[in-house]
Structures are given as C-alpha cells and as structure tokens.
C-alpha cells in the first residue's frame, strides 16, 4: 500500500480498482464458460494494471533512501505473474486498490468533524450602508461596521451585540450544545449561529481574517495537512516485518521445493494492515477531539501528547480564571470607600498594569465618574503616583505607598491575610497618608484541581506551575492545586528555560493562554493553548488549542490521544499477528495464494474497522445528558453568585471589634438575611436536585450522606448565629458577644469554603459534560 502521490492519486486509484475488478469479473465469466486462456489473460491484465503504479511507487521510495513495505506487495504480484498464478495476482491487485479505497473512505469519515468546521465558515454578511441593508463580500467588513445577523445565519465576524440581546448556538466553537444568551454590549464570536427567532444587530470589532473562526480554520488546515509520527511508527513495525516475511518465504520454498508456496507466504504477508491502521486511527482521534472543541495540529502532536509525562502550567488564565475582580475595599481610616476607589481608578487610567483594568471596571460598575490624572510617575513592579482632582494619590505595593514609614498594624494584618488567601492587594495613600487597600482575586478555576488529579491518574508524574506573579500568591495557588514545583516571578525567557529543564524528566506538555506563554509553548514537546480560539500568538505557537475556555478539556485531549495511539498500535499488532498466522498456514501448504489474498482482504477490513473506533468515546464515557449538564451549570453559577457573600462572612468577622456598635449590628443583620434568604435555599435546592443525580451516578447506599451532613451543620450554625443576634443587647454587642459571634462566623466561613470546593470539584464536575 504505497504512500506517495502516484498511488494516492484518487483518480488513478479509482481506475486501477475498476480495471482489476473488471479483469476479475471478465476472467471469472470466461472461466465458467470454459475459456480458460481468456480468463488467465484477463486476470493477468488486471494484475499488470495495478503492478505498474506500484512499481513506480517502490522505485521512488528506494530512490529516497527508504525501503518501503510495499516491496512485499510488489514481490507478491510480480511473483504471481512469473509463476502464472494470475488469479492470485488479480486478487492481490484488487486487495491493494480496494484497501486504498477503504482508507480514503475511512479518512473522509474520520475527518468529517474537521471538514464540517471548514464547511460552515461564514460567507454571508448584511451591513448597514447609508441606512440601507447591503450584502458586501465578507472580506470588506471593517471594525465599526453595523451588521445584521438573520435567524439561522452564522455570525460573520467578531463583534459586540447592539440590540438588547442575542441568542447564539456556540456548539461549533465549544462542542457544547444549547443556546447562550448574550446581552447588549457583550462580545460575540464569528462561527456561532443565531439561534433566536429574529435577527439581531452587532458592531464588528475585527475583520473576517482576524476573527475567531478564521483563526480556527487556519488551525484546522494545519491539522489536516500534517503527517503523524505514528505512520512512521507503522513503518518501523513493518521494517521488522519485511525481513521476517522474506525469510519465511525463502524457508517455505526451501522446505517444499515449490516457489508457489513462497508466493502464498508473500501474498498473505502483504502489509496493508500496517499502512492502513495508523493514519486512520490518528485522523479519527483528531476528528474526535475537534468534536469536543479541541484542535490538534496533526498526528505528531496527538502521538506526543499521548506520551506526556511532565505537565507545565501557566497560572494566570490557565489554572485561574484570568480575570481579576475587586472583591473588597479595606479602609485604614474613615475614608469613603467609593471615593477611595474613584481616585485609585482615575490614576490607573494611564497604567498598563494587569490589575489596572479590574480596578477601573469596578469603578465603572459603581457608576463613579473618573478624572484624568496629571503628573503621573510609575515605577515598574512597585506602583504609581500622581494627582487626581488636586489630591496626591499613590497606589501599589505597601512599601511603595508607605515611602519608608513603619507599617501600621492594619497594614501588616492585611498583608498576612492576603498572603494566606492568595489574593492581591493594592495599597492606596491619599496625600501621603495610608487610606486603605483594594483587594483583588483571580479565582482558581473550579475544574483545575479535579483535572490535575485526573492527569496524575493517567500517568503524568510531575506538575510544575510557572508564573510571572508574586511568589506568595503563586505558592498559595500551587499548594491548592498540588503542584510539585512552583516557579514565580518568571519572565518569558525564564519560562522557556524552565520548560527545557523539565524536559529532562520526560515528554513535556506546556499549557498556557497568553502572548507571553508563546515561547514556552513552542519550547515544549507539546504546547497547549487555553481558550485561545486560534487568534493569539499562543495558539499559533501551540500544537493543541482548546477552543473552549475550560481546563477539563485538557484531560479529554490526553485521553483521546492515548486511546487513538493505543488503537493504532492494537491494529498494527493485530494485523501483523493475523498475517503471521496466515504465513504459518501458507508455509505448511494449507493456504494457497488465492485464498491467502482473500484472507488478507478480510484482515484489511477488520483493521480499518478497529481503527475507526477512535472516532467514538471510550466505553467508560457516559452518554451526554443535557438535562444533567443544565443542573450542574445552574449550581456552578449559583456558587459564583454566592461566593462574594460567603467571603463577606470572613470580612465582617475580621472587622467586628473595630466597627461602631450600630454599624456592627447592621452588618450582622444584613449577613443573617443573606444566609437565610439566599444561602440556605440554595443548599436545600442542592439536596433536592443535585444530590439525587450524583447518587445515581455513584451508586451504593446513600453516597452523598457526608455532604448532606455538611448541609445540616451549615443550617445549624446559621440558627446559632440567628439566636446570638436575638440575644444582643439594645446598645449593641459587648466584648463577650463579639468573641462568640466571631467564633460562629469563622466556623461558618470555613465549612462553607470547604463545602463549596468539594461540591465544585467532585459532585458538580461529575454531572457536568
């Protein structure tokens, strides 16, 4: 089964297949009509038609310095002609041409997901021009153009929604079925489908060539054009098989003195299974991955990913959400929190720091009016200072803000707390006086710990986390994830060095999301870009791109890669074993050339069918249940909504002793309202909706008993908290009351954080798809 352009030309192969089939049919008809001479001539002609392109293929292979396994097929067909075994030669020719046709069919079947991605590229665009709707070429769309997307049409370019809302089917990008509602001003990506009942307007933010879907198509084309090392692995198997076959054929000839018996050995040893199995299994795996929102740039990446042993992870945007949010404003004096945020955000308007954007966004969300700063000076890695509305504002690290002054007790406490919690703090001074701090958090992805544990189970021996972030924050995140080593405050060049050093321990897989990760992705054995959607430097440097921004797709990619490689090797070994058994029968004289050719064709079909198993999920993978997934997504969303309130429990407990009695009472009653009106109904709903689903999946007697017990303990603590509030004297809490309340709140905070983490990592992940 040659692998060069002559034999692989589809038209030529179709002609060879037709000619050999015609030769066999004409020969059979002539044979039954007792025209044996005509029959032999027809079969010989069919053999010769297939032998010519095969000879050219072998000559070219030998000229390139390689001994292709198609030499066995060439010897078998030439031997059949020389020994007047014309029917055997014709059957071998039909087997080769038919096998090539089967390979083309299997390849097309395996590539259907990739082909579907390319086929649904946006082609139609409706643009408003002078108040009228026109349909220009999609290449003419420019950022700022106002477009309309009709129902059922594909979004042509990246943009933002101009109408009140838009309902989109994003399954082509994410692999997840179901409509997603986008509100006014939200970003929409090209390649998604308008699933609403009416059209919607959008404002283009990129050209077609720069949009999400165009980047994905470029990645897909790279994936389709590449050749897998597994094909070379098949060649290595086959090169061991070639001398064995020739030796067995020579032994059969010597043993029997009959060259026909040697021919029978060559016929049954024709290595179609070796050549067919690897590419079909690899392309099937690539297609399976594409169906799940994972673009693999060819078989090389798939095969190497399957052998990964060392995992290197970027922190920000990979194991964390990548979008820091302002979670709290700490005040050191009686400064107004909104005014503190307004001044800090105004100064940050001219800062390129990664934390400037979430601070500005928080100010906008609160409706604060910002003013452009003047006389701004920024020191990289320390902070920024300038004047806003006549006031001198300094923000950054505590040492920068304090300007050599001793750190007040509240500053020291805050630094310790943020270090323990893995948060970032931006200290603020107004007119030289420390006024407060802005607390920002980049939450760890809910699926990150579960994914990393799953990767360890499938064979990853070491997990390393790389980040440019501060060491204190990085160590906290690394400890939560169970990373073996954490490298903090690393530049892109230092990340490359760390990846190369990790390579000494085995095949290295690097996962990142940002432009600064691109060099490290390129340096790794396999680079995986997170949620890049084909439009960033990281996706260009990566070998695998997770289109959907979910880390748990990484374990899916690894499982698909390993299953595809295993199936390819199984097919190769099984084909060789069956051929070896046939060779033994042929050596003993129990398998004539014609029967051997038919047997080899049966082996071909079995090998291809086995390789196509890589298209489907493993048996252990449960069928997709959209209703079950909806439950998981609903409660994940509720956890995100409740988490700020849960964190507020800790914040109020920390501040109790410093708050005036009236303020303390108001904060405590507000917190009790949150617990009784929002948190407890959520817990009750989980008991009724989530836990029964989880129990069915796990099986056994009451598998969710421990988590239900946690719900009971949470409810008990809320009742105790409520009773303590009822017993407070009218003038406010006394010192003894504060100590009791603080103990209740710390206990409630601890159990809630642990309980939420356990549910996110175990139960909700189990029912999510």
């Amino acid at each position: 089964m040659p692998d060069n352009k002559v034999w692989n030309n589809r038209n030529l192969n179709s002609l060879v297949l037709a000619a050999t089939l015609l030769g066999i049919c004409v020969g059979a008809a002539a044979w039954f009509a007792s025209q044996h001479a005509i029959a032999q001539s027809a079969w010989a002609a069919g053999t010769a038609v297939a032998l010519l392109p095969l000879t050219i293929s072998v000559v070219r292979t030998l000229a390139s310095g390689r001994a292709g396994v198609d030499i066995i097929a060439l010897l078998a067909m030439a031997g059949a002609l020389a020994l007047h075994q014309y029917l055997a030669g014709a059957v071998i020719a039909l087997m080769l041409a038919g096998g090539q046709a089967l390979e083309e069919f299997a390849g097309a079947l395996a590539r259907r997901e990739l082909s579907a991605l390319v086929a649904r590229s946006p082609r139609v665009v409706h643009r408003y021009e002078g108040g009228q709707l026109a349909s220009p070429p999609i290449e003419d769309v420019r950022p700022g153009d106002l477009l309309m997307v009709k129902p059922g049409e594909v979004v042509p370019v990246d943009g933002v929604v101009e109408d009140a809302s838009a309902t989109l089917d994003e399954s082509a990008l994410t692999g997840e079925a179901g409509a997603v509602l986008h509100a006014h001003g939200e970003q929409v990506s090209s390649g998604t489908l308008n699933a609403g009942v009416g059209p919607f307007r959008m404002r283009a933010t990129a050209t077609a060539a720069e949009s999400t879907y165009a980047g994905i198509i470029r990645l897909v084309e790279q994936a389709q054009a590449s050749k897998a090392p597994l094909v070379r692995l098949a060649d290595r198997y086959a090169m061991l098989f070639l001398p064995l076959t020739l030796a067995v054929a020579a032994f059969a000839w010597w043993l029997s003195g009959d060259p026909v018996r040697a021919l029978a050995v060559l016929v049954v040893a024709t290595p179609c299974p070796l050549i067919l199995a690897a590419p079909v299994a690899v392309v099937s795996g690539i297609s399976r991955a594409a169906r799940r929102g994972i673009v693999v740039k060819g078989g090389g990446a798939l095969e190497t990913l399957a052998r990964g042993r060392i995992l290197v992870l970027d922190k920000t945007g990979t194991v964390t959400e990548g979008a820091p949010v302002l979670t709290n404003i700490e005040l050191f004096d009686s400064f107004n929190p909104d005014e503190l945020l307004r001044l800090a955000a105004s100064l940050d308007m001219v800062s390129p720091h990664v934390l400037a954007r979430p601070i500005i966004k928080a100010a906008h969300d609160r409706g604060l009016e910002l003013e452009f700063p003047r006389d701004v000076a920024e020191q990289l890695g320390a902070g920024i200072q300038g004047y806003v509305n006549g006031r001198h504002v300094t923000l950054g690290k505590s040492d920068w803000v304090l300007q050599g002054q001793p750190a007040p007790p509240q500053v020291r406490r805050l630094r310790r707390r943020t270090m323990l919690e893995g948060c970032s703090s931006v200290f603020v001074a107004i007119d030289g006086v420390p006024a407060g701090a802005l607390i920002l958090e980049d939450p760890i992805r809910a699926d990150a710990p579960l994914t990393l544990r799953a990767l360890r189970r499938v064979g990853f021996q070491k997990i390393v986390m790389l980040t440019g972030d501060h060491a204190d924050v990085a160590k906290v995140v690394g400890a939560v994830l169970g990373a073996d080593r954490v490298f903090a405050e690393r530049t892109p060049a230092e990340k490359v060095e760390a990846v190369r050093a990790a390579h000494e321990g085995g095949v290295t897989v690097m996962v990142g999301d940002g432009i600064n990760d691109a060099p490290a992705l390129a340096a790794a054995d396999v680079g995986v870009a997170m949620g890049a959607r084909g439009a960033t430097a990281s996706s260009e440097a990566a070998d695998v791109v997770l289109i959907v921004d979910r880390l748990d797709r990484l374990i899916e990619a690894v499982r698909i890669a390993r299953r595809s490689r295993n199936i390819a090797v199984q097919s190769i070994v099984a084909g060789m074993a069956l051929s070896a058994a046939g060779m033994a029968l042929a050596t003993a004289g129990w398998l004539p050339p014609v029967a051997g050719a038919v047997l080899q064709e049966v082996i071909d079909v079995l090998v291809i069918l086995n390789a196509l198993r890589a298209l489907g999920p493993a048996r252990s993978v449960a069928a997709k249940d959209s209703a079950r997934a909806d439950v998981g997504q609903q409660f994940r969303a509720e956890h995100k909504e409740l988490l700020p309130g849960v964190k507020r429990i800790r914040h109020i407990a920390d501040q109790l002793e410093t708050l005036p009695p009236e303020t303390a009472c108001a904060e405590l009653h507000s917190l009790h309202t949150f617990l009784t009106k929002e948190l407890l109904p959520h817990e009750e709903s989980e008991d009724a909706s989530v836990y029964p689903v989880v129990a069915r999946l796990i099986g056994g007697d009451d598998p969710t008993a421990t988590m239900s017990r946690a719900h009971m303990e949470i409810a008990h603590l809320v009742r105790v908290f409520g009773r303590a509030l009822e017993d407070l004297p009218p003038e406010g809490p006394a010192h003894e009351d504060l100590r009791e309340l603080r103990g209740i709140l710390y206990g409630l905070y601890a159990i809630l954080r642990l309980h939420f983490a356990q549910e996110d990592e175990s139960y909700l992940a189990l029912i999510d798809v």
Side-chain angles (χ1 to χ4, degrees):
M1 191 71 61
D3 58 355
N4 59 45
K5 294 180 180 178
V6 172
W7 186 262
N8 282 337
N9 183 278
R10 182 173 298 178
N11 293 332
L12 176 60
N13 185 66
S14 298
L15 290 173
V16 172
L17 178 60
T20 53
L21 184 60
L22 178 63
I24 288 178
C25 292
V26 170
W31 184 271
F32 287 114
S34 299
Q35 300 293 323
H36 293 176
I38 296 176
Q40 297 285 2
S41 298
W43 292 333
T47 305
V49 168
L51 186 60
L52 178 60
L54 178 60
T55 303
I56 297 173
S57 170
V58 170
V59 170
R60 289 185 174 180
T61 301
L62 293 173
S64 67
R66 295 182 296 115
V69 295
D70 17 327
I71 290 176
I72 298 176
L74 177 64
L75 292 175
M77 292 172 65
L81 290 177
L83 297 174
H84 308 294
Q85 297 290 320
Y86 301 124
L87 177 57
V91 173
I92 296 171
L94 180 64
M95 175 184 67
L96 289 172
Q100 184 67 22
L102 285 173
E103 182 182 8
E104 289 174 0
F105 171 76
L109 183 63
R111 288 183 174 89
R112 62 184 177 183
E113 300 297 333
L114 297 177
S115 301
L117 284 172
V118 177
R120 74 188 305 279
S121 297
R123 294 180 176 85
V124 178
V125 62
H126 308 294
R127 181 173 64 185
Y128 287 95
E129 299 176 359
Q132 301 295 319
L133 204 59
S135 298
I138 193 170
E139 295 80 11
D140 291 349
V141 175
R142 294 291 177 267
D145 287 351
L146 183 62
L147 311 176
M148 173 185 281
V149 183
K150 297 180 179 180
E153 287 185 349
V154 176
V155 175
V157 296
D158 292 350
V160 295
V161 178
E162 285 288 311
D163 290 335
S165 65
T167 302
L168 299 178
D169 177 357
E170 300 182 344
S171 58
L173 298 184
T174 66
E176 297 177 346
V180 179
L181 184 66
H182 290 269
H184 173 78
E186 287 190 4
Q187 182 80 25
V188 293
S189 298
S190 61
T192 55
L193 188 75
N194 182 4
V197 296
F200 73 91
R201 294 178 303 158
M202 60 172 286
R203 184 77 60 179
T205 58
T207 64
E210 297 169 343
S211 291
T212 297
Y213 209 75
I216 292 173
I217 295 304
R218 287 193 294 272
L219 298 178
V220 169
E221 289 170 347
Q222 291 178 33
Q224 289 178 320
S226 64
K227 180 182 179 182
L230 263 178
V231 177
R232 295 194 290 273
L233 175 63
D235 288 341
R236 289 197 295 270
Y237 275 103
M239 291 312 297
L240 296 174
F241 196 57
L242 175 59
L244 174 65
T245 299
L246 296 178
V248 172
F251 175 74
W253 192 346
W254 172 81
L255 183 67
S256 65
D258 184 3
V260 174
R261 192 172 292 189
L263 174 62
V265 171
L266 292 175
V267 168
V268 80
T270 303
C272 283
L274 299 176
I275 301 169
L276 291 174
V280 171
V282 167
V283 176
S284 295
I286 292 173
S287 184
R288 167 71 182 161
R291 194 185 310 164
R292 296 295 295 159
I294 305 162
V295 175
V296 182
K297 297 182 184 179
L302 192 79
E303 193 270 341
T304 309
L305 181 62
R307 297 186 292 111
R309 289 294 178 268
I310 309 297
L311 181 66
V312 183
L313 294 155
D314 174 52
K315 181 183 79 70
T316 305
T318 302
V319 297
T320 67
E321 297 287 352
V325 293
L326 181 69
T327 58
N328 195 26
I329 301 176
E330 295 280 352
L331 300 176
F332 301 151
D333 205 345
S334 57
F335 210 86
N336 183 280
D338 283 349
E339 180 64 10
L340 182 74
L341 177 59
R342 187 186 74 83
L343 293 174
S346 296
L347 183 59
D348 260 340
M349 289 172 65
V350 295
S351 174
H353 197 277
V354 66
L355 295 180
R357 182 177 296 179
I359 292 173
I360 295 170
K361 181 180 184 299
H364 284 313
D365 290 344
R366 298 190 182 199
L368 304 179
E369 186 175 344
L370 306 185
E371 297 183 26
F372 198 79
R374 61 180 180 84
D375 299 332
V376 176
E378 184 165 8
Q379 182 174 322
L380 186 63
I384 186 173
Q385 61 181 338
Y387 287 88
V388 178
N389 196 24
R391 309 197 69 172
H392 185 259
V393 182
T394 307
L395 63 149
K397 292 183 177 180
S398 58
D399 295 340
W400 165 264
V401 170
L402 292 172
Q403 296 293 315
Q405 302 175 34
Q410 58 265 45
V411 172
R412 294 196 300 270
R413 284 198 300 268
L414 182 60
R415 284 192 305 203
R416 286 195 299 269
R417 197 184 88 198
T418 54
M419 181 185 70
L420 290 172
E421 295 182 352
C423 301
S424 299
S425 54
V426 179
F427 290 87
V428 185
I430 307 297
D431 295 328
V433 179
L438 306 176
I439 310 302
L440 298 105
E441 183 179 359
D442 185 9
I444 296 175
R445 293 175 182 267
D447 58 351
L450 185 71
T451 300
L452 299 191
R453 289 198 299 271
L455 288 169
R456 285 192 188 275
R457 287 197 299 272
V458 299
F460 278 85
Q461 300 165 351
K462 188 176 182 181
I463 296 177
V464 178
M465 193 178 78
L466 291 176
T467 179
D469 206 346
H470 301 302
D472 290 340
V473 175
K475 288 177 181 177
V476 170
V477 174
V480 171
L481 297 175
D484 298 297
R485 298 199 65 182
V486 176
F487 296 96
E489 300 180 9
R490 289 301 196 268
T491 64
E494 289 171 335
K495 288 184 178 181
V496 171
E497 293 176 5
V499 169
R500 289 174 177 165
H503 177 70
E504 297 177 2
V507 176
T508 303
V509 178
M510 166 70 190
V511 188
D513 78 310
I515 292 176
N516 64 337
D517 296 325
L521 292 173
D525 294 306
V526 179
V528 181
M530 269 289 301
R533 301 195 175 210
T536 67
S538 60
S539 70
E540 295 297 331
D543 304 291
V544 179
V545 179
L546 308 183
I547 299 174
V548 57
D549 192 24
R550 283 176 51 170
L551 188 60
D552 58 2
R553 291 299 165 89
L554 177 61
I555 185 63
E556 271 197 79
V558 171
R559 285 170 175 162
I560 289 171
R562 296 194 172 186
R563 183 166 183 266
S564 300
R565 187 178 190 275
N566 289 340
I567 288 174
V569 173
Q570 287 170 10
S571 299
I572 291 170
V573 173
M576 289 176 61
L578 291 173
S579 294
M583 288 164 60
L585 294 175
T587 301
W590 296 338
L591 193 67
V594 174
V598 173
L599 175 63
Q600 188 56 256
E601 185 68 13
V602 173
I603 294 173
D604 285 353
V605 173
L606 294 176
V607 162
I608 290 177
L609 291 177
N610 183 65
L612 283 174
R613 290 193 299 116
L615 272 175
R619 290 182 180 179
S620 60
V621 177
K624 185 173 181 178
D625 185 339
S626 59
R628 191 179 78 196
D630 289 343
V631 172
Q633 291 168 5
Q634 172 194 340
F635 283 94
R636 277 190 192 279
E638 288 186 12
H639 276 190
K640 285 187 176 181
E641 292 176 3
L642 292 171
L643 194 56
V646 172
K647 291 180 178 179
R648 187 163 163 260
I649 299 173
R650 167 70 182 270
H651 175 68
I652 292 175
D654 289 341
Q655 301 292 322
L656 271 181
E657 289 186 345
T658 62
L659 294 174
E662 301 82 5
T663 306
C665 283
E667 291 283 6
L668 291 169
H669 281 92
S670 172
L671 184 57
H672 185 259
T673 300
F674 161 74
L675 293 171
T676 55
K677 301 298 184 184
E678 296 183 47
L679 182 73
L680 290 184
H682 165 81
E683 303 294 328
E684 292 168 1
S685 183
E686 278 187 328
D687 256 329
S689 301
V690 176
Y691 286 14
V693 176
V694 173
R696 287 197 300 271
L697 290 173
I698 298 177
D701 295 330
D702 200 8
T704 62
T706 55
M707 300 296 276
S708 294
R709 180 67 182 84
H711 283 176
M712 296 169 62
E713 183 62 24
I714 291 168
H716 170 67
L717 286 175
V718 172
R719 285 193 299 270
V720 171
F721 178 51
R723 181 64 60 87
L725 288 182
E726 292 175 1
D727 291 342
L728 288 180
E731 63 273 14
H735 179 72
E736 294 78 9
D737 297 322
L738 292 176
R739 186 171 55 187
E740 181 186 0
L741 288 167
R742 192 164 53 246
I744 295 171
L745 293 180
Y746 282 145
L748 191 56
Y749 172 78
I751 191 172
L752 281 170
R753 289 304 301 265
L754 178 62
H755 184 65
F756 273 31
Q758 289 174 325
E759 287 185 327
D760 282 337
E761 293 180 26
S762 302
Y763 288 2
L764 297 185
L766 187 63
I767 66 177
D768 204 359
V769 292

